[in-house]
Amino acid sequence: GTQTRDIASVMDELLSGVGAFGGFSRHGLFTVGLVAAPEGQPALELTEEDIISLERTPLPAALEPVVWRAMVGWQQNYTVQADLAASVSAARRTFAAEPQRVAAAEDAAIKSRQLLAREYGPVRGLYAAETDAQAEADRLFDLWSSGRAPYRITARPKAMALNIGNVAQVTHRRYGLHNGKAARVLGHAVSGVRNQVELTVLI
């Protein structure tokens, strides 16, 4: 379009459409990260010696308690139209009448086990191809249908070595973490006064 837009709104639209986030790090660099399952070699291990406090926090309402269907939009239609000439094909009429096409991944059995299971989306994806939207729907379904949860960790200065997007190994006597589990760092705040680091992680 020809409308003036600010950079922040454009970045938000691009990132949110692929399940990502962005912002300035404590080093002053703009970085992006994907809200993804914690996989790969941990950058750091946090044990009870390093952890001052640990608490499970609620998921966003759209994801709580678990997702049984994830939907992602593709091929956006920025001008929805219902009044078209008679010569327009049926396929084109269908396209023009809908704001987007939708790719979905689901497991109805989850809904029967979890009566409060949610439909997530459709996420307003900016994909041109259905295959790309389907891959993202599959990824989101795998991520949020498996009972993952965010945690808030207050840790000693050792945790300053972690950056947003890193994977850490968290071992603690609570929340079934006694054998250690991988955690994706989604938030990072340093308190110089208290000499502590507060992390938001996804386990």
Side-chain angles (χ1 to χ4, degrees), residues 60-118:
L63 301 169
E64 180 74 32
V66 71
V67 166
W68 74 273
R69 175 189 286 164
M71 298 173 287
V72 174
W74 60 285
Q75 208 170 71
Q76 292 286 330
N77 175 14
Y78 292 94
T79 306
V80 176
Q81 302 176 71
D83 186 14
L84 299 174
S87 59
V88 176
S89 68
R92 189 64 186 172
R93 286 176 181 274
T94 300
F95 177 92
E98 299 174 348
Q100 63 183 347
R101 279 24 63 202
V102 176
E106 64 180 67
D107 182 354
I110 295 175
K111 189 167 59 171
S112 64
R113 295 193 302 268
Q114 280 271 11
L115 298 181
L116 298 179
R118 302 266 187 175

Side-chain angles (χ1 to χ4, degrees), residues 135-158:
E136 177 63 5
D138 293 341
R139 188 189 75 82
L140 290 174
F141 176 76
D142 290 341
L143 180 64
W144 300 120
S145 66
S146 56
R148 296 193 182 278
Y151 291 79
R152 184 178 295 113
I153 299 174
T154 302
R156 304 192 191 283
K158 173 182 176 180

Side-chain angles (χ1 to χ4, degrees), residues 10-39:
V10 173
M11 291 300 299
D12 284 344
E13 185 175 2
L14 290 171
L15 293 171
S16 63
V18 295
F21 58 91
F24 287 92
S25 71
R26 63 185 187 276
H27 304 296
L29 301 175
F30 185 82
T31 61
V32 297
L34 189 68
V35 181
E39 299 173 340

Side-chain angles (χ1 to χ4, degrees), residues 1-14 78 124 126:
T2 58
Q3 301 89 347
T4 300
R5 296 189 61 186
D6 60 83
I7 293 174
S9 67
V10 173
M11 291 300 299
D12 284 344
E13 185 175 2
L14 290 171
Y78 292 94
R124 190 171 177 268
L126 300 179

